[in-house]
């Protein structure tokens, strides 16, 4: 049983550099989510895909952030011109959206910890 | 206003005893879902239990049960027979359907549980 995987697990970069993270969801899941978690806080929603369509974006997702899910499978999250305030854990989750009153439980990956120097 | 409130930043419990972690929520939706996740020091968010707003019975999953009091808007997690491996951060989260059919989870700030031998 393969869960959600994320790469890399850790990324250290200098301010101003671009970074890209990858998320591979559970294979049959059609919904994919990105969250950001800073130290001592709960995760905050960034964006959501259903198949390849990006259906929701949080106001936290500034113009420097872009996410894609080109074939409805894996997803990438890119941060351009990183700032120190971008340092956080970036979590990916996926769910099997069946509609109706299904629980649509989100299963999370291990996260990518970003440190911007 | 906070959507999810977890008022206990930290809790201690003796091994084999039961513990209740508090969660209150705020929503005007009639249809919503409540989730609890566990986050060990490794960082991965582990799904524990789900309660739908229309569910008439409190959810249970093994040693986890959810004390759902809809009128009070509370969804407390009860862990029975605590084990040392239960030491972790615990997050309460809510999904509201809302006008836009939102799929994102809103998380509380978490409770750190420490199980003592």
């Amino acid at each position: 049983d393969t869960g959600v995987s994320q790469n890399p697990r850790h990324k250290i970069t200098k301010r101003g550099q671009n970074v890209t993270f990858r998320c591979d969801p559970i294979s049959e899941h059609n919904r994919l989510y990105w969250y950001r978690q800073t130290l001592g806080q709960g995760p905050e929603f960034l964006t959501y895909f259903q198949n390849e369509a990006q259906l929701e974006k949080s106001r936290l997702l500034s113009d420097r952030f872009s996410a894609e899910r080109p074939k409805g499978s894996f997803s990438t999250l890119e941060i351009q011109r990183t700032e120190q305030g971008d340092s956080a854990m970036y979590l990916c989750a996926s769910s099997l959206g069946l509609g109706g009153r299904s629980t649509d439980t989100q299963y999370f990956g291990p996260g990518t910890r970003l440190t911007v120097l | 206003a906070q959507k999810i409130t977890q008022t206990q930043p930290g809790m201690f419990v003796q091994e084999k005893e039961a513990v209740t972690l508090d969660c209150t929520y705020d929503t005007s939706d009639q249809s919503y879902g409540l989730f609890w996740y566990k986050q060990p020091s490794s960082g991965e968010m582990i799904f524990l239990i789900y309660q739908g707003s229309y569910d008439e019975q409190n959810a249970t999953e093994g040693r986890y049960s959810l004390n759902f009091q809809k009128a009070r808007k509370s969804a407390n997690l009860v862990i029975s027979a605590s084990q040392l491996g239960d030491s972790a951060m615990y997050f309460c989260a809510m999904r509201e359907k809302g006008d836009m059919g939102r799929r994102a989870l809103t998380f509380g700030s978490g409770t750190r549980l420490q199980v003592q031998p």
Side-chain angles (χ1 to χ4, degrees):
Chain A
D1 181 22
T2 304
V4 178
S5 62
Q6 293 186 245
N7 288 288
R9 294 292 308 277
H10 303 273
K11 179 69 177 180
I12 299 174
T13 191
K14 293 182 179 179
R15 188 177 54 187
Q17 297 294 305
N18 299 344
V19 294
T20 300
F21 310 140
R22 176 176 170 130
C23 171
D24 287 89
I26 295 171
S27 58
E28 65 269 26
H29 285 185
N30 61 344
R31 290 177 173 161
L32 186 146
Y33 313 78
W34 286 98
Y35 291 82
R36 181 174 70 186
Q37 185 179 23
T38 54
L39 203 60
Q41 300 297 317
E44 295 175 297
F45 170 74
L46 293 178
T47 191
Y48 149 62
F49 291 84
Q50 179 153 314
N51 299 312
E52 66 275 10
Q54 188 173 18
L55 297 184
E56 291 182 19
K57 290 171 64 174
S58 163
R59 64 182 182 280
L60 293 176
L61 209 68
S62 75
D63 291 345
R64 297 184 298 105
F65 287 69
S66 63
E68 293 183 343
R69 195 183 183 200
K71 297 182 180 179
S73 56
F74 72 92
S75 175
T76 58
L77 177 68
E78 180 183 18
I79 309 174
Q80 296 182 327
R81 304 181 304 282
T82 53
E83 301 172 357
Q84 288 184 327
D86 297 331
S87 296
M89 176 78 88
Y90 290 84
L91 294 164
C92 176
S94 70
S95 70
L96 180 62
L98 295 176
R101 291 186 180 178
S102 68
T103 64
D104 200 26
T105 299
Q106 294 180 27
Y107 295 92
F108 284 78
T112 294
R113 183 168 295 283
L114 173 65
T115 302
V116 182
L117 302 176
Chain B
Q2 293 278 356
K3 286 283 187 179
I4 297 288
T5 302
Q6 295 182 253
T7 57
Q8 306 153 313
M11 291 280 287
F12 290 89
V13 65
Q14 291 294 122
E15 195 176 7
K16 300 181 184 177
E17 291 186 350
V19 62
T20 298
L21 306 183
D22 294 341
C23 172
T24 57
Y25 60 92
D26 181 27
T27 182
S28 56
D29 287 351
Q30 297 301 309
S31 176
Y32 53 90
L34 297 158
F35 299 79
W36 277 91
Y37 286 86
K38 171 184 177 181
Q39 189 175 42
S41 55
S42 59
E44 186 166 352
M45 300 284 286
I46 301 168
F47 166 70
L48 297 178
I49 195 166
Y50 167 84
Q51 180 83 43
S53 58
Y54 292 114
D55 294 341
E56 294 183 352
Q57 291 189 328
N58 287 343
T60 61
E61 288 286 350
R63 294 186 299 111
Y64 304 108
S65 60
L66 205 152
N67 184 2
F68 181 47
Q69 298 187 46
K70 194 170 181 177
R72 298 180 60 183
K73 293 189 175 179
S74 74
N76 298 339
L77 177 70
V78 181
I79 305 174
S80 63
S82 297
Q83 302 173 355
L84 295 177
D86 293 336
S87 294
M89 283 289 289
Y90 288 81
F91 290 96
C92 179
M94 176 173 65
R95 183 183 64 231
E96 307 169 87
K97 185 177 181 182
D99 294 334
M100 301 293 288
R102 288 189 65 228
R103 310 306 305 181
L105 294 177
T106 302
F107 285 82
S109 56
T111 295
R112 180 170 297 283
L113 177 67
Q114 295 188 55
V115 181
Q116 297 176 320

